[in-house]
Amino acid sequence: MTASAFRALHHDRPAGDPLVLPGPWDAASARAFVDAGFPALAVPSAGVAASLGYEDGATPADEMFAAIARITRAVAVPVSADIEDGYGLAPGELVARLLDAGAVGCNLEDSSGGVLQDARRHADRLAEVRAAAGGRLFVNARVDTFLHGAGDPAEAVARARLYVAAGADCIYPIAAPATALAAVRAGVEGPVNALATPDGPAVAECGRLGATRVTFGPALQRRATAAAREIAGRLRG
């Protein structure tokens, strides 16, 4: 599948009908989501990290790209991948590794090591990634002000506008509460990604607030692990 096919899924959507992208952590979970009828997938780095025995943010780049490749080989739908802050790779190398792994999109976050980065410098990096990728990658620019900043919606909107101007296809204000998500939606042109969590907006509410697409981070992998623990407990009696 191509980035253009993935990009098309984000546009001309009815109001309140976001694109729902489950987050597989391995080939088996990817196939399960596709078999359920989902048209595309969004690989969460934290879910992959847990499946490989790493803490979130500690997966070596080689292992992350290998995991993405195993997922893309297993399914015939577009796959986007969370690649954290890009692992320190130069834009050209980062794009090449994503394409080699079969991804058609990526998340790039504007924090590193839990610290927000300079927004203009990050916008420049996004522009370099877009230039290296051409139209071959859908770039989802993660805005981390609600994770590692003061949680100011105005700052999130300002960052988001810089990233859209730099060529980002979508803005992802991760962990934004409902009121802040609505503010970002009102202040930004183009697609907006919302995170659905047990403690935040659910999928339907994300749609009502104007989200173009909804992802789940590592929540689905954690639910699967919890189910495995429950089974293990029953087996132990």
Side-chain angles (χ1 to χ4, degrees), residues 22-173:
W25 53 94
D26 60 13
S29 58
R31 286 176 176 151
F33 294 135
V34 171
D35 288 346
F38 289 97
L41 305 173
V43 177
S45 61
V48 171
S51 74
L52 297 176
Y54 292 103
E55 295 296 322
D56 185 17
T59 309
D62 287 349
E63 292 198 46
M64 183 62 71
F65 286 113
I68 295 166
R70 287 192 292 272
I71 289 169
T72 63
R73 286 197 299 267
V75 296
V77 302
V79 176
S80 183
D82 178 8
I83 50 169
E84 302 176 353
D85 62 358
Y87 306 111
L89 299 173
E93 183 180 358
L94 183 63
V95 168
R97 297 198 69 172
L98 279 164
L99 295 176
D100 286 346
V104 300
C106 67
N107 290 359
L108 271 173
E109 56 198 52
D110 63 353
S111 65
S112 182
V115 178
L116 277 175
Q117 301 300 292
D118 179 81
R120 292 189 180 278
R121 188 174 301 119
H122 186 67
D124 289 344
R125 178 164 168 76
L126 289 170
E128 291 171 351
V129 170
R130 277 307 306 263
R136 297 175 295 172
L137 284 176
F138 182 100
V139 178
N140 190 32
R142 208 177 88 173
V143 179
D144 284 4
T145 53
F146 302 102
L147 281 182
H148 304 304
D152 179 7
E155 181 185 3
V157 169
R159 284 177 172 266
R161 287 176 173 169
L162 283 174
Y163 304 160
V164 170
D169 293 284
C170 186
I171 297 299
Y172 181 15

Side-chain angles (χ1 to χ4, degrees), residues 23-26 28-29 32-33 47 50-51 218-232:
W25 53 94
D26 60 13
S29 58
F33 294 135
S51 74
L220 303 179
Q221 182 273 330
R222 289 172 181 169
R223 286 189 65 178
T225 299
R229 289 196 182 101
E230 181 181 351
I231 292 169

Side-chain angles (χ1 to χ4, degrees), residues 195-210:
L195 175 69
T197 67
D199 299 323
V203 171
E205 185 179 2
C206 290
R208 288 194 297 271
L209 293 169

